[in-house]
Amino acid sequence: MPLDGDNALRLTPAELQRGIAKVQAELGRPAGSLVGEALKQIIGAYPVPKDFANPQDFLDQAILALEDFPALIIEEMADPKVGIVREQRYLPRIAELVAWCEKRIRRYESACFDAQEAIMHQEREATIRQMQEEAAAAARESQAREEAARELEPEVLKRLKALPTWTRERRPRVGEERAKDEWQAAMARSLARRPKLVEPYLDILAEQPALLLWATEQENTYRGSGWPKLSHRMLQVFEGQTTVGAG
């Protein structure tokens, strides 16, 4: 039986599914006239019992008892290599013939169940492997992005610091140098992880330098607010929703 034991472990889900379909198709094929020939073959393998008074009556009743079993089961029951003659020393009674067929059907049903379990197990394993591979790929991609961001961040910060914040008329007040350094560091960290925004955002600051002072004042008033507020205003400019200046 191709679905038995270790065989099932070596088959792919598609092969197992074909095996299940084949077994189910075989179990759905009625024995019909095969029963009579199979019984004659079995009876011929044994010496005639002394109490075997009416062979035809036995044959007729056995056919009635077995005719609803699948042809596959009846054929195997009569097969000298796998059938009932390998297990019974004496001519089997009708109940023993029926029991053998029922046991054989249960074996096939169990094999199909195990094959279905093997399919689900292999599919689960394949899903787990795929998820692990995707997670590993995502981790590698994330690590690569992080490494690229760490390399880009100092360059972005350097270019930010090169932009003029102070003028002759507007010199830094108490805490503003610290505030400027902090929001620029936050901006450099953020843009380094969104490299497509680096050039457009730096261009906006170069075109609207008043935003540099505005962000510094926001940061100096409430620590940690400079870059978030500036980011919101720059996003509006970048998306073309509004044209903003420092207010």
Side-chain angles (χ1 to χ4, degrees), residues 75-217:
E75 289 168 351
E76 291 185 347
M77 180 181 66
D79 189 338
K81 291 185 177 181
V82 298
I84 196 169
V85 296
R86 293 177 63 89
E87 303 172 18
Q88 294 283 113
R89 293 181 60 188
Y90 304 105
L91 179 66
R93 299 178 181 275
I94 294 175
E96 292 172 326
L97 293 168
V98 170
W100 191 96
C101 291
E102 290 174 341
K103 180 180 178 181
R104 195 70 175 180
I105 285 180
R106 286 195 298 271
R107 181 184 174 191
Y108 275 108
E109 290 173 343
S110 177
C112 287
F113 177 82
D114 290 344
Q116 194 62 54
E117 287 288 305
I119 290 172
M120 290 189 290
H121 174 75
Q122 290 185 38
E123 289 176 344
R124 283 194 299 268
E125 290 295 311
T127 300
I128 291 171
R129 284 195 301 272
Q130 182 179 354
M131 291 174 64
Q132 290 173 336
E133 290 169 0
E134 290 175 353
R140 290 192 297 271
E141 184 178 345
S142 176
Q143 183 179 359
R145 286 197 304 267
E146 191 61 29
E147 291 175 356
R150 283 196 296 268
E151 293 177 3
L152 181 59
E153 185 177 334
E155 177 62 24
V156 175
L157 185 58
K158 179 180 177 181
R159 293 176 64 183
L160 277 171
K161 289 185 177 296
L163 295 172
T165 302
W166 316 117
T167 65
R168 289 183 180 181
E169 294 77 20
R170 178 63 168 86
R171 305 307 300 168
R173 296 167 185 166
V174 175
E176 287 187 338
E177 286 288 4
R178 183 269 314 158
K180 183 184 72 150
D181 290 342
E182 289 186 356
W183 76 256
Q184 286 183 340
M187 182 175 180
R189 277 195 304 274
S190 177
L191 291 188
R193 286 154 183 80
R194 302 170 69 189
K196 291 183 179 180
L197 293 179
V198 171
E199 294 304 327
Y201 273 34
L202 290 177
D203 288 344
I204 291 171
L205 290 178
E207 294 168 3
Q208 302 187 39
L211 288 173
L212 297 162
L213 180 57
W214 181 81
T216 300
E217 291 172 343

Side-chain angles (χ1 to χ4, degrees), residues 40-88:
K40 290 176 182 178
Q41 187 175 342
I42 293 169
I43 292 170
Y46 294 95
V48 178
K50 294 179 180 179
D51 59 351
F52 203 42
N54 193 337
Q56 188 59 48
D57 186 50
F58 172 85
L59 188 62
D60 291 342
Q61 291 186 50
I63 289 174
L64 287 174
L66 299 172
E67 65 183 357
D68 293 330
F69 283 103
L72 173 66
I73 301 302
I74 298 301
E75 289 168 351
E76 291 185 347
M77 180 181 66
D79 189 338
K81 291 185 177 181
V82 298
I84 196 169
V85 296
R86 293 177 63 89
E87 303 172 18
Q88 294 283 113

